[in-house]
Amino acid sequence: MPPQIIPRDEHPISRKNIHPDALRVMYQLGRKGFTAYLVGGGVRDLILGREPKDFDVGTNATPNQIKKAFRNCFIIGRRFRLAHIHFGDQIIETSTFRRCPEPDADGNGDLYVFRDNCYGSPEEDALRRDFTINALFYEVKRFSVIDHVGGLSDIRDRLIRCIGDPNIRFREDPVRMIRAVRFASRLGFRIEPATFNAILRHHQEILKAAPPRVFEELIKLFAYGSGEQAVRLLYKTGLLGDLLPEIAQYLDQGRAQNRESVLWSWLGRLDDRIRDRGGLNPVLIFATLFFAPMSRLLSEQAARDEEQERLALHLRLTELLTPICIRISMPKLMTMRMIQVMANQSRFVPDKRKRFSKRGFVAQETFPETLALYEIGLRVAGEDPERLEPWNALRMEIEAQRPDFKINKKTADKKPERTRRRQVMASAEKPNEKTTAIPDGPATETAGENVEIKRSRPPRKRSRRRKPSSAPRT
């Protein structure tokens, strides 16, 4: 099937909206005799009139050929080898055109792709991508858009459509199901019926994906303030029940009682905050996601067992959330910080029975996320956000009094002193010393490292000449 070529006067993409470093990469590869296109979500966003988050380049040059063309290029990845071309803080990700790899002939029926380094043509590269809206190419030489899969019509119809058979593509890479939810919620598109039904049929395949990769995709769902709609789609497709069954059960309880769950209000206020201030804070995201469900679980535990209520809130939250965070591969430090932020919410309720230092509370490292979660809770409850002002004023006062608030320029510019390597000296060092390396052994092993002992050479004995004897020999 020949591709559809859209000339410059029929599409809205202009070179002035493309990052100059991406143009530099495409022009340089073209001068070297290679084909280079702007590919992926950058083309989609430019057609929609949105500012792309990044600019990716596709080419028929191999990673090693790209590295030879750019001295500032670094090759990364195993399953999917990519070239990162650095221009200061800007990185232009450049990939070689690929094709769908041949399935393994082991007969186990598992279609999961472990390696994806089969190079191909531009058309094969477009057909191996996940969704039609992400398979558009922009050719800078002729200022035209190249469409191999009908992505332009799906953009006009605001549809998320899987390329190829979705029942196979989602089994090859289950993370594509979360990506479909992300694009639909972020762009305000609908998931095409065949693609949506395939997610309903194969949502349990997501458990085969690498947990760190899934965790990263969960964070991306909240970009651009689209978290509430994304979680609604996860719940509707069954993916939420596979990834976070505790959240899905909490929503099921509200659904059984024919009422809207308060969780949607929490996520909506979080989206408002992200749209207003930008940035993604994973600690605040998951603290907001877990706060309402965990509050109900703690209340149910206290109703069943009065001893639970006497335990510290931090300890009870740790027992509930640690297994969940391990399952979704949340880093340990992030888990501890999230639990601390959630437990700190009880500090905003005055309790005369407990001693409490406001200055010590505000000086905590987790106080910014703690105050942000408290603000979201106030807005969900419909209370006045002016209650935050005393805390913000106290925070600014404490930060101004810190010794590191204004860094001394001389101290900042001073280079740190280099620490010398510690050595075990057997004797004083002399000019004529020789160094003898002692092999590993029980007597010379210290903390798993070989120790070098410098030994001085023993002094040579001076031999005296014998004086010739005056007596005649017989």
Side-chain angles (χ1 to χ4, degrees), residues 206-267:
I206 195 63
L207 300 176
K208 295 181 180 179
R213 189 166 169 233
V214 172
F215 179 72
E216 184 179 353
E217 288 292 333
L218 288 177
I219 295 175
K220 291 179 181 178
L221 292 175
F222 292 85
Y224 304 96
S226 57
E228 179 190 353
Q229 185 61 30
V231 175
R232 285 182 182 272
L233 274 175
L234 288 179
Y235 180 56
K236 189 175 181 180
T237 56
L239 289 167
L240 187 64
D242 299 320
L243 299 173
L244 295 169
E246 297 81 5
I247 307 295
Q249 291 172 7
Y250 173 77
L251 294 174
D252 288 340
Q253 292 178 359
R255 195 173 182 179
Q257 297 173 3
N258 293 323
R259 60 181 177 81
E260 185 79 355
S261 175
V262 72
L263 177 62
W264 305 126
S265 298
W266 280 85
L267 295 179

Side-chain angles (χ1 to χ4, degrees), residues 365-381:
E365 187 181 358
T366 58
F367 184 75
E369 292 99 335
T370 299
L371 192 63
L373 185 62
Y374 180 56
E375 179 184 359
I376 293 174
L378 289 178
R379 295 184 183 279
V380 169

